């Protein structure tokens, strides 16, 4: 009998090597419970949370909590069905209408997660006769959506409009539809995409453009519509995809567009059709969080200030961060051992960040990925920077 | 030099040897994942470097069938001929 797990031998070796060298398993950190948006109990200690995607702190929104409780009490906790069968409630339609209005688009489709929004949108839009052009550093959900679609996949260099254009030029005689996919803010590095330049290129080459604003929705742009709003190029983006699991603090994903063709996506997008729809209390909380976000633009301003404070602070203590000031601030280290040691020391000193390891990181280097929240106080940020500085000195960096 | 499979294979080896981590004794029959210890991301990133040299784009599904340096050279040659 062939050992079904034999294929994981390499992974096991890497995993065991890593966990043997680390006082605690980096993949099994347990937040026993959050005390507030910015502080949680980890290993029995109050720990500063700098590794969530809770950018606006809305996972603890009073308004969202109240809406969830009230809705659970009146409608129950689940839909027990898919959107195309018994899983569409009035609330799903209401949320779709609200999001379409927020993004000033004609159509919105809501998915059960952001991961499924990418899978469901990409796989429904292109097939084997088409070409996908993906930023090389795209999120796994984009690559998986590409695989599910069966389309030809071509990677272009990260955030590089010249490379994208070169690749589109090579495809000039290809008869299929071309869909370019980029993210707004990149989840690992905090890099911001030049969507305005991609719009110019896609227009000249007759391609479509999809932007995943997972990390930029609610975060960038005067109204929180993301990088496209900030760069003034929303009209040129054909499809915007995103998630509720970051700035809105709940769970779920969406796709918004002005193309009327998406109506039929509800009948051919398998990740939309063959899974249970979002439960009513989540929809209610998401709508309340969206309202909270719209009513409190100061959260976005605070977030930007906090991002700038953390970014500058980490640079000042001599650490290597990305050039973009965004709510994701990644400190790049050279070796995995160094990163594991650094990450453990941060946690022991009361600061939780994400340990991100290759191949999930660009150019093979480990990252300590920090994310900032509007809910962080300046003192909390300064405290985190001070701990980073002490640990860096301890490791001779 | 890059208009034959052998020429492309030679160019790939030359580029690979520029990386000090790659074993010195590689040839066209070396397996990219097993012998060079490249993971899937490293393969995709390396292919990107050669794409520019040859002015072609290699679709990701084509990479699935490639095991050796010569396989990669043959794939690039086919794409180059089709594109010319
Ligand atoms: C760029 C990007 N797209 C999509 C997702 C998936 O979102 P979700 O957590 O809602 O599945 C994430 C986060 O995990 C992401 O970083």
């Amino acid at each position: 009998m062939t050992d079904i797990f034999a294929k994981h031998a390499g992974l096991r070796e890497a995993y065991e090597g890593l966990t043997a060298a680390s006082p605690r398993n980096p993949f099994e950190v347990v937040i026993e419970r959050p005390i507030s948006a910015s502080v949680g109990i980890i290993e029995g200690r109050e720990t500063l949370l700098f590794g969530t995607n809770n950018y606006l702190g809305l996972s603890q929104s009073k308004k969202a909590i109240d809406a969830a409780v009230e809705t659970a009490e009146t409608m129950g906790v689940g839909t027990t069905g898919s959107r195309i069968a018994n899983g569409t409630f009035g609330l799903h339609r209401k949320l779709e209408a609200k999001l379409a209005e927020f993004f000033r688009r004609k159509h919105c489709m809501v998915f059960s997660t952001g991961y499924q929004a990418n899978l469901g949108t990409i796989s429904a839009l292109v097939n084997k006769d088409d070409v996908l052009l993906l930023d090389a550093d795209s999120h796994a959900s984009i690559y998986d959506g590409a695989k599910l679609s069966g389309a030809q996949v071509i990677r272009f260099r990260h955030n590089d409009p010249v490379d994208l254009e070169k690749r589109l030029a090579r495809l000039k005689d290809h008869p299929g539809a071309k869909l370019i996919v980029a993210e707004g803010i990149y989840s690992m590095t905090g890099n911001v995409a030049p969507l305005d330049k991609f719009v110019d290129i896609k227009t000249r080459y007759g391609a479509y453009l999809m932007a995943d604003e997972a990390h930029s929705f609610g975060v960038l742009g005067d109204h929180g519509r993301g990088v496209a709003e900030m760069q003034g190029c929303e009209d040129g983006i054909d499809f915007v995809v995103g998630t509720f699991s970051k700035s809105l603090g709940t769970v779920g994903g969406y796709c918004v567009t002005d193309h009327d063709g998406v109506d039929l996506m509800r009948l051919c997008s398998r990740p939309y059709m063959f899974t249970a729809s979002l439960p009513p209390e989540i929809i209610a909380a998401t709508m309340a969080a969206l309202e909270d976000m719209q009513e409190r633009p100061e959260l976005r301003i605070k977030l930007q200030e906090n991002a700038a404070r953390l970014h500058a602070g980490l640079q000042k203590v001599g650490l290597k961060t990305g050039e973009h000031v965004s709510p994701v601030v990644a400190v790049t280290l050279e070796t995995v051992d160094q990163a594991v040691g650094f990450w453990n020391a941060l946690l022991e000193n009361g600061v939780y960040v994400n340990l991100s390891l290759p191949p999930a990181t660009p150019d093979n280097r480990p990252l300590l990925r920090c994310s900032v929240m509007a809910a962080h106080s300046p003192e909390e940020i300064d405290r985190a920077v001070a701990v980073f500085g002490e640990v860096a000195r301890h490791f001779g960096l | 030099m890059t208009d034959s499979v052998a020429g492309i294979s030679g160019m790939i080896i030359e580029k690979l040897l520029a990386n000090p981590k790659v074993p010195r004794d590689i040839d066209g029959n070396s397996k990219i994942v097993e012998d060079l210890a490249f993971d899937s991301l490293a393969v995709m990133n390396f292919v990107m470097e050669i794409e520019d040299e040859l002015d072609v784009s290699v679709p990701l599904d084509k990479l699935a069938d490639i095991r050796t340096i010569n396989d990669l050279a043959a794939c690039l040659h086919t794409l180059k001929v089709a594109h010319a």
Side-chain angles (χ1 to χ4, degrees):
Chain A
M1 191 168 94
T2 305
D3 176 7
I4 203 163
F5 296 109
K7 60 181 78 63
H8 297 157
L11 177 62
R12 175 165 297 282
E13 198 184 326
Y15 173 76
E16 285 173 354
L18 188 81
T19 46
S22 178
R24 58 178 65 67
N25 186 333
F27 308 109
E28 289 181 5
V29 172
V30 176
I31 299 178
E32 284 141 37
R33 64 194 169 83
I35 292 182
S36 65
S38 59
V39 179
I41 303 285
I42 300 180
E43 298 175 1
R45 289 188 301 272
E46 284 197 11
T47 303
L48 286 175
L49 301 176
F50 275 87
T52 72
N53 302 304
N54 193 11
Y55 300 117
L56 302 179
L58 294 181
S59 72
Q60 309 298 321
S61 156
K62 175 81 174 84
K63 202 170 161 150
I65 293 166
D66 290 347
V69 169
E70 190 194 323
T71 305
E73 279 174 349
T74 54
M75 300 184 84
V77 290
T79 67
T80 72
S82 88
R83 289 296 303 276
I84 53 158
N86 57 310
T88 296
F89 285 13
L91 280 176
H92 294 89
R93 289 285 178 76
K94 210 167 143 190
L95 175 60
E96 287 177 339
K98 250 180 165 358
L99 280 165
E101 189 194 342
F102 174 77
F103 281 100
R104 305 196 205 157
R105 300 278 184 169
K106 280 166 78 176
H107 307 281
C108 173
M109 263 172 92
V110 163
F111 295 81
S112 299
T113 64
Y115 178 86
Q116 284 161 298
N118 271 330
L119 248 60
T121 303
I122 295 172
S123 65
L125 287 174
V126 290
N127 67 18
K128 64 177 177 30
D129 299 321
D130 303 316
V131 186
L132 274 167
L133 294 114
L134 309 186
D135 184 287
D137 289 353
S138 289
H139 189 260
S141 55
I142 294 171
Y143 278 106
D144 292 356
K147 227 182 213 174
L148 188 61
S149 76
Q152 237 187 57
V153 181
I154 291 174
R155 295 166 89 224
F156 60 93
R157 286 181 195 274
H158 174 55
N159 271 358
D160 187 340
V162 174
D163 193 60
L164 171 63
E165 175 154 13
K166 207 158 46 179
R167 287 167 195 277
L168 275 166
R170 284 177 197 143
L171 289 168
K172 66 179 189 310
D173 298 323
H174 193 292
K178 283 129 206 149
L179 176 64
I180 303 161
V181 184
E183 291 168 34
I185 293 179
Y186 281 81
S187 57
M188 285 292 148
T189 55
N191 290 348
V192 175
L195 293 182
D196 50 351
K197 300 211 169 61
F198 294 159
V199 165
D200 167 57
I201 293 170
K202 77 116 205 183
T203 310
R204 284 189 283 114
Y205 285 85
Y208 293 86
L209 176 58
M210 169 179 143
D212 176 355
E213 300 256 24
H215 292 267
S216 33
F217 169 41
V219 167
L220 294 181
D222 286 343
H223 300 87
R225 295 198 300 268
V227 172
E229 184 191 14
M230 182 179 79
Q231 295 176 348
C233 64
E234 286 172 283
D235 289 349
I237 315 271
D238 297 278
F239 308 94
V240 178
V241 169
T243 175
F244 311 139
S245 73
K246 306 185 192 303
S247 59
L248 295 187
T250 64
V251 67
Y254 62 85
C255 168
V256 293
T257 180
D258 287 328
H259 290 287
D260 296 328
V262 296
D263 274 349
L264 283 175
M265 259 173 51
R266 294 188 199 265
L267 299 177
C268 64
S269 170
R270 299 170 71 88
Y272 174 85
M273 297 161 69
F274 297 106
T275 193
S277 63
L278 284 171
E281 75 279 16
I282 295 293
I283 303 260
T286 303
M287 287 195 290
L290 181 63
E291 280 166 21
D292 221 0
M293 177 187 113
Q294 289 177 276
E295 285 160 10
R296 296 162 69 196
E298 66 275 13
L299 289 178
R300 254 187 317 282
I301 295 165
K302 183 80 194 309
L303 178 64
Q304 288 311 323
E305 288 168 6
N306 285 352
R309 192 176 187 99
L310 183 68
H311 190 262
L314 292 173
Q315 288 201 331
K316 206 161 163 203
V317 297
L319 291 164
K320 194 170 154 209
T321 69
E323 57 185 300
H324 295 260
V325 177
S326 80
V328 179
V329 186
V331 172
T332 305
L333 296 175
E334 290 304 316
T335 68
V336 170
D337 285 350
Q338 202 180 47
V340 170
F342 205 121
W343 176 83
N344 276 288
L346 288 174
L347 195 55
E348 279 152 24
N349 286 285
V351 180
Y352 172 71
V353 304
N354 306 121
L355 173 65
S356 308
L357 299 173
T361 58
D363 56 70
N364 247 338
R365 286 203 186 80
L367 300 174
L368 296 171
R369 174 192 183 272
C370 312
S371 53
V372 194
M373 287 185 245
H376 284 129
S377 67
E379 295 73 32
E380 286 173 331
I381 293 171
D382 294 350
R383 167 98 193 102
V385 168
V387 172
F388 259 97
E390 284 159 29
V391 175
R393 268 196 304 284
H394 175 77
F395 281 89
L397 296 173
Chain B
M1 164 185 155
T2 55
D3 38 16
S4 70
V5 174
I8 293 174
S9 183
M11 184 268 284
I12 295 172
I13 291 170
E14 197 178 306
K15 275 212 179 282
L16 282 169
L17 288 175
N19 176 349
K21 287 193 196 140
V22 168
R24 298 295 95 183
D25 59 353
I26 54 169
D27 60 29
N29 294 318
S30 301
K31 298 194 183 82
I32 298 171
V33 173
E34 294 88 338
D35 299 339
L36 276 61
F38 274 30
D39 61 25
S40 58
L41 183 65
V43 174
M44 291 196 293
N45 288 341
F46 175 68
V47 167
M48 228 170 206
E49 281 179 43
I50 339 176
E51 286 174 327
D52 279 349
E53 198 91 9
L54 296 174
D55 193 28
V56 295
S57 303
V58 183
L60 287 191
D61 57 297
K62 295 270 191 300
L63 291 181
D65 304 328
I66 290 169
R67 293 203 69 189
T68 66
I69 291 174
N70 281 342
D71 292 344
L72 177 58
C75 166
L76 287 160
H77 184 253
T78 311
L79 288 168
K80 186 143 179 74
V81 171
H83 190 248

